[in-house]
Amino acid sequence: MAVPVVAQEGSVDCQAVLNEVLADRPTDFQSCVVEIEPVDLRQCDAPETATGRPSSHILLAIDASGSMAGRVGGETKMAAAKREALGFLRDMPEEMSVGLVVYGHKGNNEESGKAESCAASELVHGFDAPRSALQASIGALEPVGWTPLGGVLAYSGEVVAGLEPLKEGDLAPVVYLISDGEETCDGDPAAQAAALYEAGVRTTVNTIGFDVDAETAAQLEAIAEAAGGTYYPADDVAALRRQLDAIKAAEASLARYQNCVNANLGRIGVPYQNARVALAGCYARNDPMKAKAALINRARKAERDTTPEAACAEMLTAHALAMESDDGFLNRQFKAWSAEADATMEAYREEMRLDAE
């Protein structure tokens, strides 16, 4: 930095005045930049059962068609499904939103009630409802109607579409559909499942065949395949419980994994945030604009008050004007760190990403 020649003006030592003004106003802001220290990340073991990304919302769809009044293991299929569904949803990790859809629960299973039954799909327990209300939501369900598999998948698509729009990389909803029979409402459930899966957020549909025949199993398997999901056969109540317990454990494992990854992403960002705070504080103490303003104010005050230091006013002002600007140093460094942090976190996300397809 080019500095004007400093001389002693009369009885006032202008160099001493300059030194006094600058003594408490350092300008070495370049030294404020600190090195970002690497952080220790937790080990996040990918779940062995992972078939895709963790779920943001679990939507369980229960068949309430007339065939669910059939008995298996000494109780109706409906009673078993309600009990196991209650345990399944109630025990999901709290960070997951759970919802319950019932279908085929209106009209009757005669031709006279087909139209009403086939149009019946209802969210009886919303994602925002407390889990303590699950018992009441499930308890009143009775098996009465037909089996609108295509209809309930179309309805599930409407429910998913009503969620807050997801951004790329967000967790996605997943549907678990329990049925004991094939489509009886002239729908095309595989096509509806594919449409749901392709509707922007990759909503996976998994199906559970509860005491089904080979033809129904094939249709449920086709639905799951069309929507990137898995078909789970359950020949009896014990098998239904095992399948739901396995799904619950897999979802919980996926949630733990995602929580671990998210926590590590936060850890990656901490040293950058700490560095920004430290830099801001250090820069405030070394801001050249403060030193420049102090010199100009001292010169103007001396001239205004006609003190002996007025003889140094021109020299103090010239020194201030000759001081180098920081040229946006603080913003440049903040942007550089932000870009580095974003790149580091994105690389970690990519490294830890589960196969979502």
Side-chain angles (χ1 to χ4, degrees):
M1 176 178 66
V3 179
V5 175
V6 178
Q8 184 169 327
E9 303 285 350
S11 61
V12 179
D13 185 346
C14 293
Q15 181 66 58
V17 174
L18 177 66
N19 292 343
E20 177 191 340
V21 174
L22 296 180
D24 296 327
R25 296 172 179 84
T27 59
D28 187 18
F29 57 86
Q30 298 283 358
S31 66
C32 293
V33 179
V34 297
E35 185 175 347
I36 303 296
E37 297 293 334
V39 294
D40 292 329
L41 301 179
R42 284 176 52 193
Q43 177 69 33
C44 299
D45 296 323
E48 294 181 2
T49 55
T51 57
R53 56 186 165 187
S55 307
S56 62
H57 297 75
I58 300 289
L59 187 62
L60 183 64
I62 295 182
D63 184 355
S65 63
S67 60
M68 289 289 283
R71 303 187 72 81
V72 59
E75 61 181 333
T76 66
K77 296 179 186 179
M78 191 80 248
K82 290 195 296 186
R83 183 184 63 249
E84 300 307 325
L86 176 63
F88 174 77
L89 293 175
R90 185 180 54 203
D91 296 340
M92 277 292 176
E94 285 298 326
E95 59 267 27
M96 289 183 185
S97 298
V98 299
L100 176 66
V101 165
V102 61
Y103 60 98
H105 59 300
K106 295 181 180 180
N108 57 57
N109 59 357
E110 302 294 333
E111 194 65 34
S112 62
K114 181 176 180 179
E116 182 181 6
S117 181
C118 288
S121 293
E122 182 181 356
L123 183 67
V124 294
H125 182 89
F127 295 117
D128 295 331
R131 295 198 183 183
S132 58
L134 275 167
Q135 178 70 60
S137 301
I138 291 177
L141 301 181
E142 294 295 337
V144 295
W146 297 62
T147 310
L149 295 181
V152 72
L153 290 170
Y155 178 76
S156 297
E158 295 174 7
V159 172
V160 169
L163 299 174
E164 182 176 348
L166 301 180
K167 302 181 295 295
E168 184 177 357
D170 281 355
L171 309 187
V174 62
V175 175
Y176 287 97
L177 185 149
I178 299 177
S179 181
D180 77 329
E182 61 183 330
E183 169 73 43
T184 60
C185 291
D186 307 314
D188 187 345
Q192 288 291 349
L196 180 57
Y197 184 61
E198 296 294 341
V201 294
R202 290 290 197 229
T203 300
T204 301
V205 178
N206 300 292
T207 55
I208 303 168
F210 186 23
D211 187 33
V212 300
D213 57 26
E215 188 174 352
T216 300
Q219 185 176 66
L220 292 174
E221 190 169 0
I223 292 170
E225 183 177 353
T230 302
Y231 170 64
Y232 300 92
D235 295 334
D236 53 28
V237 177
L240 177 63
R241 180 179 301 123
R242 285 196 302 272
Q243 292 289 23
L244 289 175
D245 284 347
I247 292 167
K248 182 168 57 181
E251 289 288 355
S253 178
L254 284 164
R256 286 193 299 272
Y257 175 78
Q258 190 64 41
N259 288 341
C260 179
V261 170
N262 289 340
N264 280 342
L265 288 169
R267 290 185 180 93
I268 291 172
V270 166
Y272 290 95
Q273 179 59 28
N274 291 343
R276 281 191 285 266
V277 172
L279 176 59
C282 180
Y283 182 86
R285 296 187 296 273
N286 288 270
D287 186 352
M289 293 300 99
K290 291 183 178 180
K292 179 180 289 189
L295 288 172
I296 291 174
N297 289 339
R298 184 70 168 260
R300 289 176 178 173
K301 184 177 186 304
E303 288 181 321
R304 184 176 62 248
D305 298 342
T306 63
T307 64
E309 287 185 5
C312 304
E314 183 177 352
M315 181 271 289
L316 294 176
T317 300
H319 189 95
L321 295 177
M323 294 180 69
E324 293 180 355
S325 168
D326 70 356
D327 195 26
F329 165 81
L330 199 60
N331 285 336
R332 280 201 320 277
Q333 189 58 52
F334 282 171
K335 288 180 179 178
W337 277 340
S338 293
E340 183 179 322
D342 289 346
T344 302
M345 286 190 282
E346 183 55 35
Y348 179 73
R349 284 193 194 94
E350 192 60 35
E351 176 188 348
M352 305 304 288
R353 194 185 306 277
L354 297 174
D355 182 10
E357 298 299 328

